Amino acid sequence: MAAHRQPINLLRGWPAPSLLPTSLILAATQAALSSPCIAQDALLYGPDPGYEPARVAIAAWLTGFYTPKIPIPAERLCITGGASQNLGNVLSVYTDPGYTRKIWIVAPAYFLAFRIFEDAGFGGRMKGVPEGDDGVDLEVLEREMTKCEEEWQNREDRGRESQTFKSRRSWGKVYKHVIYCVPSFANPSSRTMGMDCRRGLVKLARKFDALVVADDVYDFLQWPADIEKSAQKGVLNSAHLPRLVDVDRSLAGGAERDGADGFGNTCSNGSFSKIAGPGIRCGWVEGTNKFAFGVSQAGTTRSGGAPSQLTSTYVTHLVETGQLRDNIQNVLCPAYASRYASMMRAINAHLLPLGFSLPPSDRDVVGGYFIWLGLPAGLIAVDLARVCKSEEDVIVAAGEMFEVPGDQELTFPAHIRLCFTWEDVELLSEGVQRIGKVAASLLSETQIGNGDYVMVEGRESADMDAFK
């Protein structure tokens, strides 16, 4: 057992408590609620698409960051209760388990999204797609989607017609497929999808009548990949790549091209959780005007009013005044860049010599919350995670947490994910050193004379529920 040492949690994907903008949110709250007209709007039911000043302010802010050729209008946005809540709403409006064939998930994947898909009726119908070298293996995805369509058609040819569960609605549609991904600084792998891959994915979605749901929640947290530069200068004022929703808007006529229905094939799921605080429970979704309006017509919103109506008034103040932008650029990015650099130096010193590996990358820009590591031959992630917790009081995320449920073809038993945002910077290096100590011990115990490795008796795979 770990002997009276500081616990270190490198699993928790939360923002650092010391970096939460408490004073800014307090001032924004006071500014909003001290205005009678804003306070009244804030405390009553909001319009279905969300608080209008928030949509206008966020649209202008996104235009400044992503610099699309055409400014983003407020009509392309719907205020949400955060990325997770919105994913549920999107599925409720734009999918039907009786018609939507499958959920395609770029893997390794954000594991807490799986239950949202299961709740929408897609348990057992999720399929992992490997990231490949450029963010998603388009060749594999196209082959598997083609196969899926052929199987679906054969089923209908045999007289087993689809039984849909949702009536036709003028404000929505039902897509044949859903593709879920985190294009920039992915959770858990930290990979970023390249530009050619982004274009190819949009084209593929159009071909198969698929909706790409992109969790763009880490885009604003970016800095130079060179760890020395990132520690010194963590400010990049604009996005280094357009989002999938920007590509879909501009590529070959966008959603208004001949034969298109106006809903588009992508949506951008945004959130203030990583850049302000998850307790705010406020976010936005961007798509075509028709798509955004459709999200606003989900039954839960029509009944209860716009989600996060109160907090969206605080967010409006933070965005309009530029305080959120300045805090991201001048506080969060430099701080997280420093933490990233500290953890990378520790990985280079204590883990890579043992045979750990980082994903190959030629990126100039990195960001997000996580670092994804391959393990040396002979180590299994769940065993390493269990022993790290029991003997060194350091918690890491084993790769199997990020496997798509029911998909036995795409597994990650020899990977771990480390988060560099939650713990204070001085603990990151120590945590990596502890991992190295455990890994070295396991390797020395399992190595045998011919250079192979065997499992150590008594170190069976850990129950990962204990680590979630």
Side-chain angles (χ1 to χ4, degrees):
M1 297 294 291
H4 304 294
R5 64 174 69 212
Q6 171 78 39
I8 300 176
N9 192 333
L10 302 180
L11 182 155
R12 177 168 286 171
W14 292 11
S18 61
L19 296 176
L20 294 173
T22 307
S23 61
L24 295 181
I25 294 172
L26 175 61
T29 303
Q30 292 173 333
L33 296 184
S34 62
S35 168
C37 59
I38 295 177
Q40 178 173 297
D41 286 343
L43 294 170
L44 292 174
Y45 293 109
D48 296 341
Y51 185 54
E52 182 67 15
R55 296 168 66 213
V56 172
I58 293 170
W61 172 53
L62 295 177
T63 297
F65 182 71
Y66 291 107
T67 64
K69 293 181 180 179
I70 303 174
I72 300 167
E75 290 76 17
R76 284 179 60 88
L77 301 179
C78 176
I79 301 300
T80 71
S84 295
Q85 181 266 355
N86 178 62
L87 178 56
N89 271 6
V90 166
L91 295 173
S92 72
V93 173
Y94 290 111
T95 68
D96 186 320
Y99 180 79
T100 305
R101 281 71 159 144
K102 202 176 285 286
I103 308 294
W104 306 92
I105 303 177
V106 179
Y110 170 54
F111 65 96
L112 291 177
F114 302 147
R115 186 174 296 181
I116 302 174
F117 293 116
E118 291 170 348
D119 287 349
F122 294 99
R125 292 166 61 187
M126 295 177 280
K127 177 67 176 176
V129 181
E131 288 183 318
D133 295 330
D134 204 25
V136 57
D137 192 324
L138 294 177
E139 183 178 341
V140 170
L141 179 57
E142 182 169 18
R143 182 178 67 243
E144 291 297 318
M145 293 180 79
T146 300
K147 179 181 175 182
C148 178
E149 280 298 317
E150 290 172 351
E151 292 174 348
W152 193 273
Q153 186 60 51
N154 289 338
R155 189 181 80 166
E156 292 187 340
D157 289 345
R158 293 195 300 268
R160 296 177 59 190
E161 294 188 3
S162 302
Q163 177 187 358
T164 57
F165 297 93
K166 300 177 182 178
S167 59
R168 292 181 60 87
R169 295 161 293 181
S170 60
W171 63 85
K173 64 168 286 185
V174 175
Y175 290 86
K176 292 181 179 178
H177 301 267
V178 172
I179 303 168
Y180 174 77
C181 60
V182 185
S184 295
F185 320 127
N187 178 6
S189 73
S190 77
R191 285 185 185 270
T192 291
M193 190 181 297
M195 190 62 220
D196 289 343
C197 188
R198 292 177 188 232
R199 292 192 189 98
L201 183 57
V202 170
K203 292 177 181 178
L204 199 62
R206 291 178 178 181
K207 177 180 178 180
F208 286 94
D209 187 26
L211 172 66
V212 182
V213 179
D215 266 358
D216 293 325
V217 298
Y218 301 105
D219 288 26
F220 291 89
L221 302 177
Q222 53 174 359
W223 47 86
D226 184 290
I227 61 174
E228 298 308 323
K229 290 181 180 178
S230 70
Q232 299 165 12
K233 183 181 179 182
V235 179
L236 298 170
N237 295 324
S238 60
H240 68 296
L241 285 170
R243 298 164 299 170
L244 290 166
V245 75
D246 299 318
V247 175
D248 194 25
R249 186 184 184 196
S250 61
L251 183 66
E256 304 305 321
R257 67 192 183 279
D258 290 343
D261 56 22
F263 284 97
N265 291 90
T266 66
C267 67
S268 174
N269 212 3
S271 174
F272 293 100
S273 293
K274 308 300 183 184
I275 54 179
I280 290 177
R281 305 314 314 141
C282 185
W284 68 93
V285 61
E286 181 184 340
T288 66
N289 294 14
K290 288 179 69 172
F291 184 91
F293 178 74
V295 175
S296 77
Q297 298 306 291
T300 53
T301 299
R302 287 288 292 152
S303 173
S308 305
Q309 175 70 2
L310 175 62
T311 53
S312 65
T313 62
Y314 315 156
V315 166
T316 302
H317 180 84
L318 292 173
V319 175
E320 286 180 338
T321 61
Q323 291 176 331
L324 179 65
R325 177 201 62 221
D326 293 345
N327 191 67
I328 293 170
Q329 294 180 356
N330 301 330
V331 178
L332 290 186
C333 285
Y336 288 148
S338 177
R339 290 162 187 249
Y340 169 83
S342 177
M343 179 171 277
M344 285 297 295
R345 282 193 290 267
I347 288 170
N348 287 327
H350 302 288
L351 298 185
L352 296 191
L354 295 174
F356 283 75
S357 62
L358 291 161
S361 174
D362 57 358
R363 292 180 294 166
D364 295 325
V365 178
V366 295
Y369 269 34
F370 307 107
I371 296 173
W372 183 246
L373 289 169
L375 303 187
L379 286 189
I380 296 177
V382 290
D383 297 307
L384 177 66
R386 182 174 57 81
V387 180
C388 280
K389 185 175 187 294
S390 63
E391 296 186 4
E392 291 294 329
D393 219 347
V394 60
I395 302 176
V396 303
E400 71 171 28
M401 292 176 65
F402 310 100
E403 299 170 1
V404 176
D407 187 345
Q408 303 300 317
E409 297 179 2
L410 193 57
T411 60
F412 309 98
H415 287 83
I416 59 172
R417 188 199 73 179
L418 305 182
C419 177
F420 53 81
T421 60
W422 170 251
E423 295 286 5
D424 291 334
V425 64
E426 61 270 13
L427 293 177
L428 297 176
S429 179
E430 182 181 343
V432 171
Q433 289 182 54
R434 294 186 197 177
I435 296 169
K437 180 181 177 181
V438 171
S441 175
L442 289 175
L443 288 171
S444 66
E445 291 179 13
T446 57
Q447 191 170 19
I448 59 178
N450 62 4
D452 293 329
Y453 294 84
V454 295
M455 287 295 297
V456 176
E457 184 177 358
R459 287 201 167 115
E460 66 282 350
S461 295
D463 177 4
M464 286 312 298
D465 284 340
F467 298 104
K468 292 180 182 178

